[in-house]
Amino acid sequence: MSMRAAIAGFVHDGDTVCLEGFTHLIPTAAGHEIIRQGRRDLTVVRMTADIVVDQMLAAGCVTRLVSSFVGNSSAGSLGELRRRVESADPAPLAFEEYSHYGMVCRYLAGSQRLPFYPLRSYGGSDLPSVNSDLRKVTSPYPGPDGESEQIYVVPPVNPDVTIIHAQRADRSGNTQMWGLTGIQAEAVYAADKAVVVVEEIVDDEVIRSDPNRTLVPAHAVDAVVRCPRGAHPSFAQGYYDRDNAFYRAWSHISKDPQRLRDWLDEWVRGTADHAEYVEKLGEEFWAGLAVGEALSEPVNYGRRL
Amino acid sequence: MTTTAPGALTPSELLSVVASRELAARRTVFAGIGLPTLATELARLTVAPDIEVVYESGVCGAHPSQLPETIADAVLITGAEAVISMPMLFGCVLQGGHIDIGFLGAAQIDRWGSLNTSVIGDWDSPSVRLPGSGGGVEVMANSREVFVVMRRHDPRSFTAELDFCTTPGPDRALAEGIRSLGAGVTRVITELGILAREGVGDELRLVAVHPGVTVERVRAATGWDLRVADTVEEVPPPTEEELRLLREDVDPDRVYLR
């Protein structure tokens, strides 16, 4: 399926959209297509809200954000996000703040259709005072000392659609990832629909030669989109490196609202699709992010003689 | 023990060296990138050869070919001993009690070692929106001890009242009836000296100052009536060997050494 068709078909105005990928394999190209198609009033769920979220905010796609870290990695700030939160400029942003494990537990509850998930965090924190979904319950079982135990719980998250990026999948959606695998599989299972964007679509035999590397089986996937280099400026282990220079540049671009909007007009709205964005960056640029080979040792799955 | 000429030392170098010494005989460290990377790598070369760093991205036992630029740098993954998922990392490794030392930073810290990484000002309409918790809440609740490195030591950062408590120490948790696994913050390392506390019920005390820093200066830079240990040690300045390792082996390109 093309990215255009996948976003048109699976992301609607007002939807709750989860974009996961912990620094690695961030589905940036999907975020850009959401901007191109002008989606509005989205709730974005993402543990580490970073550049692609800042871009979607600036494009006016997002009214609510659910996150546990809102920063431009270690490279500085997200200008648009800060303007939205600090001065409601150009519009207020509803923001639900969690910790990382709080978000992980929301995905775990969501993926397993549980009403809540307990975690040993938040005791004494001010986070529950600004997020009424962080609630405390009494454990139905006695603690190690025989006493009843109080513990915080988080509610499930069940996005309308989860979009992740991965290295490869087969045509039916069996998706293989390696390197940092974060929370993507749980985020897919938590969603009503799931779109997987991959660097390449491979033959069934490639996937079946290493089934343990399939982190998302086809039954959980509704659409597979081939979109090489679709995680830029983040990286795809073994395919291309992180564009650290762009992360640093983003702090400057996003600091100036006009410059940010000009950037979106040129690089997102001014390109027909991600292939054109890739081409506009140029082969010399991509050569700078190329990586060498470091192959894993094959494993022997064995076969009955 | 020889020391380098004064003035040659940058704040990052000083903080890294002092933090590295605190890691003596420690095993598992949960660390971010930047100063904690410098400190843990230097510790590996000096006082803690068996140290294992677990990164928030899920990388365990990294053997990077170059100094990583982020906790998720591809060079951390290639050649690593393990890469685990977020439920494994936060659920089993951290909450399961496998981390000896967590390294955290913050915009604000109070006398009990609770931290603010969310907002300066009011949460609803902050004057500065900071990145927020990340895994800090979990690192604090579940590591046996937490070391905090603060680049700024002034009354706004070392404050009697946090603008917002993102990351509570165990005292605050216990006040709500929730017992934490670890002791919370036990060491705070700054450009002025070292503050320490023992655990629940204890507040931060000044235990050491850098050469040339007076106790009064530290007290004036702290936004509460800072307790002072009976004997305040002087932090031994970085040795030539510590600085050489840091500059030549750990961060030769000065990625983090500022």
Side-chain angles (χ1 to χ4, degrees):
Chain A
M1 187 179 267
S2 72
M3 183 74 88
R4 188 173 300 147
I7 299 303
F10 291 98
V11 181
H12 315 98
D13 288 356
D15 274 359
T16 295
V17 180
C18 165
L19 300 164
E20 275 303 346
F22 195 90
T23 312
H24 180 219
L25 297 173
I26 296 170
T28 313
H32 285 179
E33 185 57 27
I34 289 170
I35 293 171
R36 284 191 196 96
Q37 296 192 17
R39 288 292 172 281
R40 287 289 177 274
D41 198 24
L42 300 180
T43 293
V44 167
V45 183
R46 173 156 173 71
M47 281 176 68
T48 50
D50 56 358
I51 288 176
V52 70
V53 171
D54 214 28
Q55 293 169 344
M56 291 170 73
L57 287 171
C61 306
V62 185
T63 50
R64 176 176 291 271
L65 176 64
V66 182
S67 183
S68 45
F69 186 87
V70 291
N72 179 13
S73 185
S74 49
S77 286
L78 300 175
E80 189 71 14
L81 183 136
R82 285 189 56 179
R83 284 188 291 277
R84 293 281 296 266
V85 173
E86 291 169 7
S87 45
D89 172 20
L93 173 70
F95 178 42
E96 288 178 31
E97 184 167 4
Y98 288 86
S99 63
H100 274 352
Y101 193 46
M103 289 289 286
V104 168
C105 290
R106 291 202 65 190
Y107 286 125
L108 288 169
S111 61
Q112 299 168 52
R113 269 59 186 176
L114 287 168
F116 59 81
Y117 209 94
L119 71 167
R120 296 193 180 279
S121 306
Y122 298 131
S125 171
D126 284 338
L127 285 167
S129 72
V130 296
N131 183 346
S132 59
D133 278 345
L134 297 171
R135 296 183 192 169
K136 209 162 41 171
V137 300
T138 303
S139 167
Y141 308 104
D145 57 0
E147 300 288 311
S148 66
E149 193 176 13
Q150 295 274 297
I151 192 159
Y152 272 93
V153 295
V154 292
V157 62
N158 291 113
D160 293 299
V161 60
T162 286
I163 306 174
I164 64 166
H165 193 97
Q167 278 104 335
R168 67 190 187 193
D170 63 20
R171 274 169 186 75
S172 56
N174 290 300
T175 303
Q176 297 197 330
M177 270 181 266
W178 55 96
L180 304 176
T181 53
I183 195 69
Q184 285 97 311
E186 293 81 359
V188 161
Y189 275 104
D192 288 344
K193 300 286 181 189
V195 175
V196 175
V197 184
V198 290
E199 290 294 317
E200 53 181 335
I201 291 176
V202 295
D203 289 339
D204 296 357
E205 290 70 30
V206 175
I207 299 295
R208 293 182 200 171
S209 74
D210 194 4
N212 279 117
R213 208 171 302 282
T214 305
L215 296 194
V216 182
H219 64 238
V221 176
D222 295 281
V224 183
V225 174
R226 179 181 167 273
C227 183
R229 296 163 171 170
H232 175 264
S234 78
F235 67 111
Q237 192 82 29
Y239 287 70
Y240 48 91
D241 213 341
R242 190 172 190 265
D243 185 357
N244 289 312
F246 186 77
Y247 279 86
R248 288 189 286 273
W250 186 255
S251 294
H252 303 289
I253 295 168
S254 70
K255 197 170 185 178
D256 176 348
Q258 191 53 50
R259 197 175 160 198
L260 198 174
R261 280 153 183 78
D262 290 345
W263 188 93
L264 286 177
D265 284 341
E266 179 182 356
W267 289 92
V268 181
R269 297 196 188 96
T271 51
D273 55 21
H274 191 70
E276 204 174 303
Y277 168 96
V278 167
E279 195 183 319
K280 187 174 160 69
L281 281 165
E283 275 315 307
E284 197 180 331
F285 167 83
W286 290 105
L289 297 180
V291 297
E293 245 179 22
L295 299 177
S296 66
E297 279 295 310
V299 296
N300 182 9
Y301 279 92
R303 65 186 174 84
R304 189 154 293 150
L305 294 171
Chain B
M1 193 187 272
T2 46
T3 58
T4 52
L9 191 68
T10 69
S12 302
E13 289 171 342
L14 175 67
L15 294 173
S16 304
V17 167
V18 174
S20 77
R21 294 172 183 160
E22 300 287 339
L23 293 169
R26 310 292 187 167
R27 186 80 176 89
T28 50
V29 174
F30 195 95
I33 290 290
L35 277 172
T37 313
L38 298 174
T40 48
E41 287 309 306
L42 181 58
R44 186 197 309 284
L45 297 171
T46 53
V47 295
D50 296 327
I51 206 160
E52 185 198 338
V53 181
V54 177
Y55 289 97
E56 201 175 56
S57 54
V59 179
C60 309
H63 296 272
S65 54
Q66 294 168 15
L67 196 70
E69 288 200 39
T70 70
I71 53 162
D73 197 316
V75 301
L76 284 173
I77 290 99
T78 306
E81 292 162 32
V83 180
I84 60 178
S85 69
M86 290 287 143
M88 278 276 283
L89 177 75
F90 285 105
C92 305
V93 177
L94 255 175
Q95 198 170 271
H98 290 268
I99 298 297
D100 293 329
I101 304 288
F103 253 107
L104 293 175
Q108 291 183 326
I109 184 169
D110 72 10
R111 69 174 73 205
W112 309 104
S114 288
L115 308 176
N116 173 17
T117 57
S118 288
V119 288
I120 298 299
D122 185 56
W123 191 90
D124 288 317
S125 54
S127 57
V128 181
R129 175 65 227 191
L130 301 163
S133 164
V137 176
E138 284 78 35
V139 172
M140 181 74 89
N142 299 308
S143 305
R144 275 184 193 82
E145 296 177 51
V146 171
F147 292 173
V148 175
V149 179
M150 296 284 282
R151 282 187 179 272
R152 287 170 50 171
H153 193 149
D154 58 31
R156 282 198 50 144
S157 308
F158 287 71
T159 178
E161 286 289 332
L162 302 174
D163 288 16
F164 185 88
C165 177
T166 315
T167 307
D171 298 84
R172 282 183 65 121
L174 203 58
E176 254 195 64
I178 292 179
R179 194 172 291 279
S180 302
L181 191 63
V185 173
T186 55
R187 287 283 184 283
V188 183
I189 297 154
T190 83
E191 281 185 68
L192 299 181
I194 301 173
L195 281 55
R197 62 186 278 289
E198 297 298 324
V200 177
D202 194 21
E203 69 173 75
L204 288 165
R205 276 168 297 115
L206 179 66
V207 295
V209 290
H210 296 301
V213 176
T214 63
V215 170
E216 274 320 300
R217 186 174 157 204
V218 184
R219 287 174 59 98
T222 303
W224 68 84
D225 186 13
L226 178 65
R227 287 196 186 171
V228 177
D230 293 342
T231 311
V232 176
E233 311 273 342
E234 186 171 284
V235 182
T239 64
E240 276 186 13
E241 178 63 3
E242 284 169 327
L243 281 180
R244 187 191 67 75
L245 288 169
L246 199 56
R247 291 168 177 172
E248 294 176 17
D249 291 0
V250 176
D251 190 7
D253 299 327
R254 298 192 82 81
V255 177
Y256 303 117
L257 284 174
R258 282 174 276 164

